[in-house]
Amino acid sequence: MRDRAARTARAWHVDEALAARYAAGTAPEPDAWSLEKHIEACGACAVRVSAAVRGTAAGTVLADVRGAVLGAVAPPSPRAGRVPAIGGAARVLWAAGPALRGSWLVALVLVAAGAVGLAYATGFAGARPLLLALAPVLPPAGVAVSYGRYADPMHEIGATTPGGGLRLLLTRTAAVLAVSLPLLTLAGALLPDGVPGTPAAAAWLLPGLALTLAALTLGSYIGHRPAACAVGAGWALALAVPLLRAARAGVPLPLPTEPAAMAELSAQLARFLSGAAAQGLWGTGAAVCAAVLVARRHSFDRPAPGGW
C-alpha cells in the first residue's frame, strides 16, 4: 500500500495553471499545501513553480532577499544561481537540526561520561542511581531545546510548511532519542552495582519514552519548554516523596552523597522502574500520551499559548 501511495504521488505533477495560481496567491489552501508538499521531492515541479513565482512582483522581492542572504553567508561563485539538490540524508540532518548540536548534546555526554568517571575514579557507589534518576528527563529536555522559536531561528518558516509542525517535532524527537537512549543505557551498563536493589541499566527506557511523550502532549497546550520543566519537576517530586515524608516526620535527612540517601533513592527508583507492573503502567501511559498527541496534531500548525 505504501508503494502504491508513492507511485500515486509521483504520478501527480503541478501543471502550469496551478503554478500560476499559486504564484498569484489565488490557489485554494488545500491545493497550495499539496503543491508545497509535492515540490519537496519533485525537482521538475519545483522549477516550474519557481519560474511562475519569478514572473510576479513578489518574485523580484524574493530574488533580492535571496541574493542579500547568500551574499551575507557565502562569497559569490559562478554557480551562485543554481540551487543544489538536497538528498534524503541531508534532509534528515537538516530536520534534526538543533537536536544533534548545541549545549544539550554536550550536557548529555558530560552526564554519561561523568557518571562513569565518578564511579571508577572515586569509587562512588551511587553513580548508577543518580544516572537512572536523571536519564528519564534528559530526552524531554533535549526535545525542548531543539524545537521551537528559541531553538531554531527558522522555526516560524518551517512550522508553516507541510513538513513542519508535528512532523518536524517528531523528527527532532527521534533524533534526540536516537542519541540519548543508547548513550545513557551504555553508560548505565558500564557502572557497577554499587547499591543493592538498583534497577537495571535499561529499566529507564520505557519511562523515558513515556515522559517524552507526556512532555510533547503537554507542550501542545502550554509550549514545550514549560512542559519539559513541568515533567522534570514532577519526576523529581516523585523521587523525593520518601525524603519529604521523612522531613514531615522530623527524621534527620542524610546528605545526598551518604549511603543512606543513595539506598533510599535506589529503593524509590525500584518502585518506579522495576517489575512488570511498573513497566506496564509506563507502557500504558506512553500509549495514552501517543493517542492524545495524534488527536492534538493540528495544534502544532499554530503557536501554542506559551510559545513553542
Side-chain angles (χ1 to χ4, degrees):
M1 182 176 295
R2 182 176 299 177
D3 293 340
R4 184 172 60 186
R7 289 195 299 270
T8 302
R10 287 194 298 268
W12 178 84
H13 291 286
V14 180
D15 56 27
E16 298 291 346
L18 178 57
R21 291 197 302 272
Y22 178 82
T26 59
E29 184 174 349
D31 293 344
W33 276 68
S34 297
L35 179 148
E36 291 173 357
K37 182 62 182 174
H38 177 72
I39 62 176
E40 289 183 358
C42 182
C45 289
V47 172
R48 184 176 297 113
V49 174
S50 297
V53 172
R54 282 197 297 270
T56 64
T60 303
V61 177
L62 290 174
D64 293 340
V65 172
R66 179 178 179 275
V69 172
L70 292 178
V73 301
S77 68
R79 303 178 61 184
R82 296 183 58 186
V83 179
I86 302 178
R91 287 177 182 172
V92 171
L93 290 177
W94 176 85
L100 298 181
R101 63 178 186 267
S103 57
W104 171 80
L105 187 57
V106 175
L108 183 68
V109 174
L110 289 177
V111 168
V116 175
L118 187 65
Y120 288 99
T122 66
F124 179 59
R128 178 181 280 187
L130 287 178
L131 182 64
L132 290 176
L134 288 174
V137 295
L138 287 178
V143 175
V145 300
S146 64
Y147 181 85
R149 55 177 178 164
Y150 298 106
D152 189 350
M154 297 185 65
H155 171 69
E156 286 80 6
I157 297 175
T160 59
T161 65
L166 182 58
R167 179 181 176 183
L168 180 60
L169 174 60
L170 293 180
T171 301
R172 299 273 171 88
T173 302
V176 167
L177 294 176
V179 174
S180 59
L181 296 188
L183 180 61
L184 294 175
T185 303
L186 177 61
L190 294 176
L191 294 174
D193 297 327
V195 180
T198 302
W204 74 276
L205 292 178
L206 190 54
L209 177 61
L211 292 180
T212 301
L213 290 173
L216 295 182
T217 304
L218 184 59
S220 69
Y221 294 95
I222 64 174
H224 291 293
R225 289 200 172 191
C229 292
V231 169
W235 174 251
L237 183 62
L239 293 180
V241 165
L243 297 180
L244 296 176
R245 289 176 178 172
R248 290 188 60 183
V251 179
L253 299 179
L255 295 175
T257 55
E258 291 183 0
M262 289 299 101
E264 187 61 50
L265 177 60
S266 295
Q268 189 71 345
L269 287 170
R271 297 186 190 101
F272 287 132
L273 305 182
S274 297
Q279 291 292 318
L281 288 176
W282 285 114
T284 301
V288 170
C289 289
V292 176
L293 187 63
V294 171
R296 293 276 301 166
R297 62 188 181 277
H298 296 299
S299 66
F300 296 94
D301 297 335
R302 59 186 185 275
W308 296 121

